[in-house]
Amino acid sequence: MKLSKELIEKSKEPFISELENYINSDVELIVKVKSKRLLENKNGKRYLLITFEDKTGILRAIDWFNAEKNNSKVDVGNVVRVNGKIVLYDGRLQLNIPQDSNLIVLNENEYSYERFVSESKIPVDEIISKLFEIIESIRNKELKQLLEEIFKNDEELFNKFKNSPAGLKVHHNYIGGLAEHSITVAKMCDNVAKIYPWLDRDLLITGALLHDIGKIYDYEINSKGIEITQTGELIGHIVMGYEIVNEKIKKLNLRGISEKLLHMILSHHGELEWGSPILPKTPEAFVLHMIENLDSKLNRIQNIKEKELETNPNKKWSDFDPNLGRRLLLKHTERG
Amino acid sequence: MKLSKELIEKSKEPFISELENYINSDVELIVKVKSKRLLENKNGKRYLLITFEDKTGILRAIDWFNAEKNNSKVDVGNVVRVNGKIVLYDGRLQLNIPQDSNLIVLNENEYSYERFVSESKIPVDEIISKLFEIIESIRNKELKQLLEEIFKNDEELFNKFKNSPAGLKVHHNYIGGLAEHSITVAKMCDNVAKIYPWLDRDLLITGALLHDIGKIYDYEINSKGIEITQTGELIGHIVMGYEIVNEKIKKLNLRGISEKLLHMILSHHGELEWGSPILPKTPEAFVLHMIENLDSKLNRIQNIKEKELETNPNKKWSDFDPNLGRRLLLKHTERG
Amino acid sequence: MKLSKELIEKSKEPFISELENYINSDVELIVKVKSKRLLENKNGKRYLLITFEDKTGILRAIDWFNAEKNNSKVDVGNVVRVNGKIVLYDGRLQLNIPQDSNLIVLNENEYSYERFVSESKIPVDEIISKLFEIIESIRNKELKQLLEEIFKNDEELFNKFKNSPAGLKVHHNYIGGLAEHSITVAKMCDNVAKIYPWLDRDLLITGALLHDIGKIYDYEINSKGIEITQTGELIGHIVMGYEIVNEKIKKLNLRGISEKLLHMILSHHGELEWGSPILPKTPEAFVLHMIENLDSKLNRIQNIKEKELETNPNKKWSDFDPNLGRRLLLKHTERG
Amino acid sequence: MKLSKELIEKSKEPFISELENYINSDVELIVKVKSKRLLENKNGKRYLLITFEDKTGILRAIDWFNAEKNNSKVDVGNVVRVNGKIVLYDGRLQLNIPQDSNLIVLNENEYSYERFVSESKIPVDEIISKLFEIIESIRNKELKQLLEEIFKNDEELFNKFKNSPAGLKVHHNYIGGLAEHSITVAKMCDNVAKIYPWLDRDLLITGALLHDIGKIYDYEINSKGIEITQTGELIGHIVMGYEIVNEKIKKLNLRGISEKLLHMILSHHGELEWGSPILPKTPEAFVLHMIENLDSKLNRIQNIKEKELETNPNKKWSDFDPNLGRRLLLKHTERG
Amino acid sequence: MKLSKELIEKSKEPFISELENYINSDVELIVKVKSKRLLENKNGKRYLLITFEDKTGILRAIDWFNAEKNNSKVDVGNVVRVNGKIVLYDGRLQLNIPQDSNLIVLNENEYSYERFVSESKIPVDEIISKLFEIIESIRNKELKQLLEEIFKNDEELFNKFKNSPAGLKVHHNYIGGLAEHSITVAKMCDNVAKIYPWLDRDLLITGALLHDIGKIYDYEINSKGIEITQTGELIGHIVMGYEIVNEKIKKLNLRGISEKLLHMILSHHGELEWGSPILPKTPEAFVLHMIENLDSKLNRIQNIKEKELETNPNKKWSDFDPNLGRRLLLKHTERG
Amino acid sequence: MKLSKELIEKSKEPFISELENYINSDVELIVKVKSKRLLENKNGKRYLLITFEDKTGILRAIDWFNAEKNNSKVDVGNVVRVNGKIVLYDGRLQLNIPQDSNLIVLNENEYSYERFVSESKIPVDEIISKLFEIIESIRNKELKQLLEEIFKNDEELFNKFKNSPAGLKVHHNYIGGLAEHSITVAKMCDNVAKIYPWLDRDLLITGALLHDIGKIYDYEINSKGIEITQTGELIGHIVMGYEIVNEKIKKLNLRGISEKLLHMILSHHGELEWGSPILPKTPEAFVLHMIENLDSKLNRIQNIKEKELETNPNKKWSDFDPNLGRRLLLKHTERG
């Protein structure tokens, strides 16, 4: 993952999730326009309704004073600086834009992208400490040495790993997503190895931790959110992951690590048509593929449920999800 | 699973796996002809080489005295009563058929099918005690009541469950396979529920234990081994499982059990083209499908590895497996 | 099919199809907004063009007086009460909305859903009388008894059957569609049985009448039109149909009815990927699937032709139909 | 269909189906070797068991005198001249080959292929008279004129039509199969047109009668049975059918026959992947495709049932049929 | 290809590509509205921004005087007559619409379609002269005679060939596209025949020149651009091409031309699911299919690159192309 | 490609293709048993008919003296040393095995594998000289430097390249096949670049020469012929090719070579389901894939034609080829 700019945020504007501490106060916000609508009340008075968002949530705003002017000033997707008063209306927070408001569209260099890219909900320290705990449990010396090289000694690599998402849209599409996904898959694989003791646990867990490492070159974060890089499009994370791990093995001269580890990286998508150049041909490669798939799907399902219920807590069925090819049950009715 | 005959074995003939206790003794065996070959030694003398099998293993036999006669007497697939001496030859046990041998082809009613159908390697008591332990851990009262009705109170159902295979060819195709598969899937699902605590653990585990219950009507054991029944071909275990569980719910009037449980049974094949009439639409149904699939695949992989290495301990790659669509790595070479 | 509300219509407002009797009269209508457009004539005067619809047709309306106000009052999809004068304009009926019009958006409880859900064009009595005639022709006593139980004795079931659609979008998606489809398929199957006399006619026709019976639990009619129920999403009509018929067979103790009938219900979609958990394995199941498919397709084709030609009687090709995967010829040009 | 040789049979040898009139008589037969087996009875005497076949049935033969010599003389697939006595054994006819038998393998020019290619079970006159009856019922003058040109006036074409099979292996793979298939499809289409009166009946029936006409160039009958011709492989019956009908329309200058008829021929396989260069885009083309498919499937199912039950009248399930992708139920077990 | 109207253009209005000769002059143009947007400048003044197009390019226009009036006068897709002054603004040509502008929407009969349908960038004379050169190189007399009949003697056919596009959307979708495609494929096939000298070069090149000849009946050019004809939808260019060439062979009685040529036309789409009724079964048919496919793809890729870079010369990746199923690299970044 | 043993052939036994120089002479041969049959002549005398093969052809042998003994001595697939007299019989060469023959089955270390693995028909020098000519024509200095490093400076790599096959079964499955394939694809790509001058010729040709370089690690030649290696199964030639070229670029620090070259290697199978982890996204990658595919198919077609016609020069159609999914026309019949 290439951070195309330094994500240093100097400004002190609060995030949307912090606004419950500002009720009835004036604030200045840096937010993105998610949608807008120019409306007319029963008396024929025009007003502008905007939904703002940042990575922490969404906020409804209303402008009774400069509706038409501000409407023609901003487009959906613009990042703006806006001031106003936070009020509680209809059970939700709302920003009232005042008559003397100064709504300004910002250029890309006037704000930090980080405001608009989500992060893993699990604190990064917690993820990393779990990672080190897993590495500690590996008994195979060469596999452990390899993991320590990648996750401890090569600081640049490790920093990229911590900040990378594991997806563009479908799953773990937020900063820290790659680490979260890798550790969860490793934990699940550890459980699987307990139930099928004939599996090579150390190999399985090492493969789990490294399977998506190539994704650090797949994505960059910029003003449009997460975008796929040229390397992501032309080479892809599966081959990049192979290259990273293969070079470390060669550098450390770990002659005891067999092709089975690299095979797990190459085959973890499970089927050729899902982008693996080779099918899984060892039990550990099979398990990695299936567990990885399970975690991806559950992460997606969890996201869909949360987003849909956030919008409408009584919704019974999600919208059709083109990635899963179905609607999901959100709340069920008892048979009764 | 319909046991088409009582599988009561009166005879005392030893199984092949017990023959290491009979070296240099005369034995009488009931075995099936797996393959045979009429050969000629360098001196032009004809001899008959037969491979016998029962559910516990395979045995090489040689007949130097009545090669042609016995060759025309038996066909591959016949079950025979045969006597001879057990010797150690070339590091393996072998049956030497004597000149006065009395090789007799048996009719279906002259032996027990049970001799030729494999059983789970895990003792049935162990499986069942794990099953009751899992049921004990369920907190939802109605789900627990349902499981106890099926696995404790309905003795006929439970007996069928204990003896049923979970497959014809692909996986768990032996007596006790259904119970072994159901319990393993439930244990894995329990682990998954620990990692994703937002899942409904009790629902997930109940679905895991019941998902293949309809297979008790899918198979019958007869002289040809495991065969699919008319019900298996015309209705199928997915719908039979739905029917069994649905009727128990109605009988016990368990109004708190929602359609989500029945949905898990119907959708556990995961895709329409794999025979589920409905796609998984709840997180628990997704998990059940994916874990069930993982256990089936691992059981098949384990079986392939064992069988291929039993035949040839140095084999590096399995034969092409049409069900998995690939060859499997049996023993790897170090990169060195 | 669950009628989520009583569909009792008290009001006397005419349907759109009845308006040809009201030319140059003032009417009050309850209609749904299908589309609307705020326009300007050459003199710069704004007017509002609305297309209204109910289950009987579509109606063009024009508002020269309160264009902007009414435009901001209604959204596409709203059900409204509106008054005005019916005139003939450009060869079609049109509603002129007067200056003192009182266009009111109605809440769900202020009108009957029935106004907006189509019905079979064949009168229900005609369908039902044909149904009884077919049942009368069955010679197999148990099959006849089963049909009479479902279509005569179980009044609740029969009422649902009469009112249910057989589809959401693709075919027979109107009240009475299930009955119409079932009877047409049965008539066709009767013809097939005449041409292939070795088929079991009674079995075939019974399967034809019952194959979609589970759809009575698949759909509900509400303010959004026809919607799929939770049972429809989680269980599906194929398994529900199996359950209904299986329970009736058990209740009546019809031991002569074989698994072949239930097999026909389960396999009538013909392929696993179309949602049948089992493939057709009897000639009657094959015929039912293929005839059922033919009737569904012809119903869809007929609907497309009618709707497209209603809108534009000179159109030569339909729009691309995503369900059929092609355009359909509406009117052909002679070669000559 | 190209008859690669004159199929004139001069010899008077009886067909297998006629042998019940020859019990205990000596006969001379021209038959094909379907299978053979060299066996040994309990006394060690070798005998040869052969199954012969011709287009009318199969016949078991036994040779106690020259078992080894005759075994090495004939191969499976050879056509032979053989004499012997017809006896009734075990409820079936059997040929006993005498000591002085003269078993001769024939060359291709020493017998007529016709002996070994099946014919439709429906007498050709019956098929043809039904054909003319259908043509008579057509009201559209140009369509009728076209059909009369093809089926009455063009004698060469009509003779080919009468003798052609409609398939190689899958369905109607016998002399007269094309005519039988075409007429049955037309009868079914006539029935469909009665139920959906908005269909163009005359067009539909004309398409039904002509849809496979190109098959007269697809097959030739030779010593190997039915074989596909070079034209069949390089051009195919769909385009040949188009060409035949198109040239007749041009020759007769039938300007009222639209492209819809030719479209039906081109699209009757229903899907591109089944070899139609164009999808059905008219209701009549849809119906033709689906009815044609139904008749093909039913013919295949009927053949499988007859052949399997002929061999084993108690068989419950057919072998797996690769064309249908499943086993078929032959005889069902009652539930009760 | 049916030219539904004479494409004679009397008017002298310049094409967009000629406007660089008119900078600072007043012009009158006939152009199509590609997009429009009613905007407001910072002072609240409304202006209308229109993008016009003809077959030679696109042109930005601005109207400061009658923004609202003209906005309500034209719709996207309208062809208009408009006058104004050509200026250079921001490095691009722009049309300034004056206060007394007379923007008129034209009816279909008031302009020539030709203005809006692209043409091959290669001059037609160049294409044709290359065609004759290729024909001249054919040594097989009958194939040469066939080509001369089609491309020289049958003037009507040849004219259609010269003016026909080879596609609707995907590739060579402009006047002259068919000829350009056919000649390029023939040139490539000539090269292939040099590398594999065992191929029949004359047959291959003849097939290349004739493979898409049926497209002359697939398309018509009208006010909506290129549209598919009824013949194109119901019969298709593959069968039409077969018919054209087959009739010429019969007419000229070219008995030495084998079915292999017609087979190449029928099989050139390469797979049944791509609309060929027959698979390629000769080496020449394989080559034609693969080379034809290569030229189609390269033409599409070239068009995408040109159009995307014309709009935005710095774009790195094309939009997702549904036909190719991917994005294309437009400008790459060095690895550095 | 790993040559698992030194392929040094000391022995002087002639190859089958050289036997026309030995007619009526006694020879000693090292050959493989392709098939054998124990037969009986009319007088009841048994003889043994064997077909031998080496990489240069097939040879019929007959043994009238020790038929049964030698039959039981050898199995199909054995490599044997055999002596006898070469005679001309029925227009073909034949080996007559004498009474005192000494037919010996050889162990793997008693002969050279090379005798049984085919080689390219094009002499290796010719291929290599063409390779250097192509490299010479590259103008881009870095690409040229890369090619010279791989094909000139790294001798070990180059030797492997010269001896490697490019396939196991489907195409170029002989020693030198990789070089032959790579050069032919490069020549074709050169031609394509002439016709589409906007392509990057140097990049295209470099990609063509290197696309399959990873195959040097995919295969090994041993007693079973060509076998896939562990690296071939677990990593595959696409990723190995990426690794080889990537390391050379890094070693030489060729910073001007962009990811587009590596992308061509990764995407040259064209579709994910054919094993490319990434789709072609540049024009050069598209061309490489399509040309590479064309050469593979033509090589396979050429091989099938040669082999089938060698066996039967009058055969009209090849056997069904499962890889191509069809039969191929071998010799056509004229229409005339």
Side-chain angles (χ1 to χ4, degrees), chain D residues 1-164:
Chain D
M1 196 212 49
K2 191 156 47 161
L3 280 181
S4 54
K5 294 194 173 189
E6 287 273 308
L7 287 185
I8 302 155
E9 176 76 357
K10 293 288 182 296
S11 58
K12 293 292 171 247
E13 293 81 2
F15 283 100
I16 289 175
S17 65
E18 299 164 340
L19 292 179
E20 47 192 10
N21 306 314
Y22 290 80
I23 295 176
N24 295 322
S25 308
D26 289 320
V27 294
E28 189 161 285
L29 302 174
I30 293 180
V31 285
K32 189 180 280 187
V33 179
K34 187 180 163 74
S35 65
K36 59 170 192 164
R37 226 169 136 200
L38 190 61
L39 296 166
E40 221 177 72
N41 77 349
K42 308 217 164 176
N43 306 322
K45 186 167 168 51
R46 293 210 167 167
Y47 61 97
L48 179 66
L49 201 68
I50 313 190
T51 306
F52 291 123
E53 64 178 341
D54 64 16
K55 71 178 179 188
T56 71
I58 58 175
L59 176 70
R60 184 181 143 111
I62 196 156
D63 183 345
W64 282 102
F65 303 101
N66 302 286
E68 292 191 317
K69 196 182 90 186
N70 281 338
N71 182 40
S72 68
K73 207 185 245 177
V74 302
D75 274 334
V76 166
N78 285 166
V79 171
V80 301
R81 176 179 296 275
V82 61
N83 62 312
K85 177 184 274 185
I86 295 299
V87 300
L88 204 61
Y89 180 83
D90 220 3
R92 299 201 185 180
L93 294 180
Q94 177 177 298
L95 178 76
N96 286 347
I97 301 177
Q99 186 151 17
D100 60 351
S101 79
N102 190 13
L103 182 64
I104 300 170
V105 177
L106 300 180
N107 293 328
E108 289 193 19
N109 53 6
E110 293 175 321
Y111 62 92
S112 151
Y113 304 155
E114 209 179 32
R115 282 203 165 257
F116 302 106
V117 183
S118 315
E119 285 167 19
S120 171
K121 279 171 221 146
I122 309 176
V124 71
D125 288 352
E126 200 176 295
I127 296 177
I128 297 310
S129 114
K130 183 67 200 169
L131 167 64
F132 290 158
E133 193 182 303
I134 294 171
I135 294 176
E136 210 47 48
S137 78
I138 303 279
R139 294 184 191 173
N140 178 306
K141 284 188 187 161
E142 292 201 345
L143 292 174
K144 193 173 186 176
Q145 194 182 345
L146 175 68
L147 291 170
E148 286 173 343
E149 165 70 14
I150 290 172
F151 293 118
K152 290 191 176 162
N153 306 343
D154 187 334
E155 215 170 312
E156 192 192 332
L157 196 62
F158 184 48
N159 272 330
K160 282 179 179 152
F161 176 75
K162 278 193 297 189
N163 288 308
S164 181

Side-chain angles (χ1 to χ4, degrees), chain E residues 184 187-188 191-192 195-196 198-199 242 246 255-256 258-260 262 279-283 286-287 290-291 293-295 297-298 301-302 305 317 324-329 332 334-336, chain F residues 184 187-188 191-192 195-196 198-199 242 246 255-256 258-260 262 279-283 286-287 290-291 293-295 297-298 301-302 305 317 324-329 332 334-336:
Chain E
T184 310
K187 280 160 63 182
M188 299 251 281
N191 282 333
V192 173
I195 290 178
Y196 306 93
W198 50 277
L199 293 170
Y242 171 87
N246 195 25
R255 317 187 117 245
S258 78
E259 285 176 314
K260 290 198 288 185
L262 292 165
L279 293 175
K281 293 172 184 172
T282 65
F286 261 99
V287 172
M290 295 177 99
I291 290 300
N293 194 13
L294 174 55
D295 185 53
K297 287 283 194 309
L298 281 178
I301 290 171
Q302 195 179 6
K305 285 192 84 160
W317 288 93
L324 295 174
R326 73 204 71 181
R327 305 200 296 162
L328 293 173
L329 182 68
H332 75 279
E334 288 305 328
R335 237 177 171 181
Chain F
T184 310
K187 280 160 63 183
M188 299 250 283
N191 281 333
V192 172
I195 290 178
Y196 306 93
W198 51 275
L199 293 170
Y242 172 89
N246 194 25
R255 317 188 117 245
S258 77
E259 286 176 313
K260 290 198 287 185
L262 292 165
L279 294 176
K281 294 173 184 171
T282 66
F286 262 99
V287 172
M290 295 177 99
I291 290 299
N293 194 14
L294 175 54
D295 185 53
K297 288 282 194 309
L298 280 179
I301 290 171
Q302 196 180 6
K305 286 193 83 162
W317 288 93
L324 295 174
R326 73 203 72 180
R327 305 200 295 161
L328 292 174
L329 181 67
H332 74 280
E334 289 305 328
R335 236 178 173 181

